[in-house]
């Protein structure tokens, strides 16, 4: 079997995992349930993943990679300021794209497990430092332009991404629309960067 076929089949299994996790949480995820959702045999799932934990970790990593790709695609060709790049990244994270919403639901489903599993926590939060660095840089630029006076760029960056995390949880739980989340984030950024 070609490497591409293997990756496609593993992705198919991961997508089934995401659907189950989004519908009913990780408690509903078992090798048997994922196999049924993916339309493959239990043996096929076990062939690719030595354990449920390995399958969960692969699914989480793949969701993160796809989100990174969507953010990169959005930023590619965007000839804008660092502030515009930050806003575009946040719009993708809080957006109404079906794949983004699925990734958000997957991440939220894994939060409880991340409290006990360092590897899952590392995957969930791996990009946070890079994204916070971008936000801090944007605040510093605003300060150099006479805006954002008196603010601590590092703290503001943490607040911006903490707000994004909180809004994504509300989105995943259906408590907030993407439009409301985006409006809230724009309101906050406008206040910080005024």
């Amino acid at each position: 079997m070609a490497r591409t076929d293997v990756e496609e089949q593993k992705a198919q299994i991961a997508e089934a995992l995401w659907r189950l996790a989004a519908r009913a949480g990780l408690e509903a995820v078992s090798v048997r349930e994922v196999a049924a959702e993916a339309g493959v045999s239990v043996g096929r799932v076990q062939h690719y993943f030595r354990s449920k934990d390995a399958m969960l970790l692969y699914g989480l990593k793949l969701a993160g990679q796809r989100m990174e790709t969507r953010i990169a695609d959005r930023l590619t060709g965007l000839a804008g300021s660092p502030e515009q790049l930050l806003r575009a990244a946040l719009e993708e994270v809080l957006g109404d794209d079906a794949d983004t919403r699925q990734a958000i639901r997957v991440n939220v489903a894994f939060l409880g497990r991340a409290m006990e599993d360092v590897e899952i926590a590392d995957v969930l939060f791996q990009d946070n430092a890079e994204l916070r660095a971008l936000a801090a840089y944007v605040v510093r630029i605003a300060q150099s332009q006479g805006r954002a006076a008196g603010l601590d760029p590092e703290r503001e960056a943490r607040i911006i991404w903490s707000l994004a995390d909180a809004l994504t949880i509300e989105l995943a739980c259906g408590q907030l629309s993407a439009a409301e989340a985006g409006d809230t984030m724009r309101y906050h950024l406008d206040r910080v960067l005024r």
Side-chain angles (χ1 to χ4, degrees):
M1 187 177 301
R3 179 81 180 144
T4 304
D5 292 339
V6 168
E7 291 306 315
E8 285 175 11
Q9 288 191 2
K10 287 172 73 174
Q12 176 188 2
I13 292 167
E15 289 164 4
L17 162 74
W18 300 340
R19 290 190 299 273
L20 284 171
R23 278 198 312 262
L26 288 182
E27 304 81 35
V29 174
S30 69
V31 171
R32 185 172 307 287
E33 290 296 321
V34 170
E37 180 73 21
V40 299
S41 69
V42 170
R44 173 64 60 193
V45 174
Q46 291 171 330
H47 173 74
Y48 293 123
F49 303 104
R50 69 185 185 289
S51 67
K52 176 182 170 180
D53 286 344
M55 178 181 65
L56 292 173
L57 189 59
Y58 177 85
L60 180 60
K61 286 179 178 178
L62 184 61
Q65 289 166 359
R66 288 189 178 176
M67 175 71 94
E68 286 174 17
T69 299
R70 282 191 301 281
I71 290 171
D73 288 347
R74 183 181 277 246
L75 299 182
T76 299
L78 184 63
S81 68
E83 181 177 334
Q84 290 171 318
L85 295 175
L86 174 64
R87 288 179 184 268
L90 286 162
E91 285 173 12
E92 180 61 40
V93 169
L94 299 172
D96 218 5
D97 178 83
D99 289 334
T100 296
R101 295 294 288 270
Q102 184 78 335
I104 289 168
R105 288 186 186 107
V106 169
N107 285 351
V108 169
F110 275 90
L111 282 175
R113 201 168 177 97
M115 288 188 269
E116 297 178 14
D117 188 323
V118 175
E119 193 171 11
I120 286 178
D122 288 345
V123 172
L124 276 177
F125 301 108
Q126 68 186 348
D127 296 328
N128 282 13
E130 183 178 329
L131 295 169
R132 281 195 311 269
L134 173 60
Y137 179 64
V138 168
V139 173
R140 283 191 202 89
I141 290 172
Q143 288 176 328
S144 74
Q145 297 169 343
R147 302 179 289 142
L151 299 179
D152 178 330
E154 300 301 325
R155 286 187 180 168
E156 290 303 326
R158 185 165 295 277
I159 291 167
I160 289 166
W161 285 99
S162 293
L163 176 58
D165 286 342
L167 292 170
T168 59
I169 291 170
E170 287 190 66
L171 274 168
C173 296
Q175 301 302 302
L176 194 64
S177 71
E180 292 168 321
D183 287 346
T184 300
M185 183 55 74
R186 280 187 295 280
Y187 173 81
H188 180 68
L189 286 176
D190 291 346
R191 283 182 353 149
V192 169
L193 302 173
R194 68 178 179 272

